[in-house]
Structure formats: C-alpha cells, structure tokens
C-alpha cells in the first residue's frame, strides 16, 4: 500500500486480508531535499498471522505521457508514448518477528528516511494537448 507524502491512508494488505490492517502516516505534508521523512506504520493484527517483518518504503516516481502524430503515404497516425521511471527507492524494516508469526495486537512502528540533497521537487504539469509529466513521492508498506 502506498500513501502520498503527507496523507494518511488505511487499507488491508491483500496477503493478510481478514488477519491484519495497515495504516501509514507521515508527520508533515511537505518535505525538502535533505530533510528526514518521519512517520509510522500502524499494524492491527486480528489473529495470529504468519510474517517475519514489516518494511516501510519510500519511492519517487516520474511519469510522462506524450501524444504525437506521424504522416506516411497520406495517412495520419496518432501515437502515445508513456514512461514510468523510479527515481528513488528506499526501504527500512520497521518490525521483525523472529518466530515467523505475529500475535494479535496493535503495533506502531516508527520509520525515518533521509531524502538525498539532490532530490527534485514534486511536480505535476499538463502540456499542450494531452501531454503530461509528474514526479511524486510515496510512502508505503511492502
């Protein structure tokens, strides 16, 4: 489950449906390059569940969409080029269960990620026509 920076979301982890739910929260909505992203993963376990660890993930993803036209033999063709590229990926184990299982209960597991000083800012841009570009950062649990 991924959560946009600054937002709090809740969802059931698909492999743990009916066994556990996960929430991810970060302490503020805006971060600058070089700052530390702090937050927590909250795990609510309903019944004993097989797991060895819980890992928080921070990902920065760039997405572009470009629409263009080609002409050949008096025929016009419309094309769309899309790219999706991970620019930053960081992970941190926030909880370990050496026995291979987690008993019922509520667990709040803090995490920290130090953003590199060269991290570009989040952006969303809509160009002419249907062309788009975006860069966003998300925190999630893997």
């Amino acid at each position: 489950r991924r959560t946009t920076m600054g937002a709090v979301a809740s969802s059931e982890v698909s492999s743990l449906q009916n066994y556990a739910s996960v929430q991810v929260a970060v302490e503020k909505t805006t971060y600058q390059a070089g700052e530390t992203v702090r937050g927590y993963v909250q795990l609510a376990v309903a019944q004993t569940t097989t797991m060895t660890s819980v890992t928080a993930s921070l990902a920065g993803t760039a997405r572009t969409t470009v629409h263009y036209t080609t002409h050949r033999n008096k025929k016009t063709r419309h094309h769309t080029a899309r790219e999706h590229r991970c620019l930053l990926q960081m992970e941190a184990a926030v909880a370990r269960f050496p026995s291979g299982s987690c008993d019922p209960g509520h667990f709040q597991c803090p995490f920290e990620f130090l953003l590199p000083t060269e991290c570009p800012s989040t952006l969303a841009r809509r160009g002419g026509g249907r062309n788009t570009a975006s860069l966003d950062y998300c925190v999630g649990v893997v």
Side-chain angles (χ1 to χ4, degrees), residues 44-95:
V45 180
Q47 54 187 309
T48 300
T49 304
T50 301
M51 70 172 79
T52 56
S53 66
V54 175
T55 301
S57 170
L58 171 69
T61 305
R63 293 176 182 83
T64 56
T65 303
V66 177
H67 297 275
Y68 63 98
T69 306
T70 58
H71 305 280
R72 186 174 177 186
N73 298 330
K74 297 185 180 184
K75 291 186 179 181
T76 300
R77 297 188 74 184
H78 298 276
H79 308 274
T80 302
R82 291 181 177 87
E83 185 166 0
H84 176 223
R85 181 172 294 175
C86 181
L87 301 179
L88 176 69
Q89 181 70 46
M90 304 169 90
E91 291 186 351
V94 296

Side-chain angles (χ1 to χ4, degrees), residues 4 14 21 27 33 37-38 43-44 50-51 54 60-61 99 113 121 125 133-134 142:
T4 302
S14 59
S21 63
E27 69 179 5
V37 176
R38 290 182 180 87
L43 182 63
T50 301
M51 70 172 79
V54 175
T61 305
S99 67
F113 294 106
S121 297
R125 174 85 173 144
S134 67
V142 293

Side-chain angles (χ1 to χ4, degrees), residues 11-13 16-22 43-47 49 51:
S11 76
E12 291 195 5
V13 177
L16 300 176
Q17 279 186 339
N18 302 320
Y19 295 96
S21 63
V22 176
L43 182 63
V45 180
Q47 54 187 309
T49 304
M51 70 172 79

Side-chain angles (χ1 to χ4, degrees), residues 104-137:
H106 293 275
F107 306 89
Q108 194 171 73
C109 312
F111 61 80
E112 290 186 356
F113 294 106
L114 178 61
L115 293 173
T117 56
E118 67 276 1
C119 266
S121 297
T122 297
L123 68 90
R125 174 85 173 144
R126 186 166 187 87
R130 296 175 291 174
N131 300 329
T132 62
S134 67
L135 172 59
D136 60 6
Y137 297 91

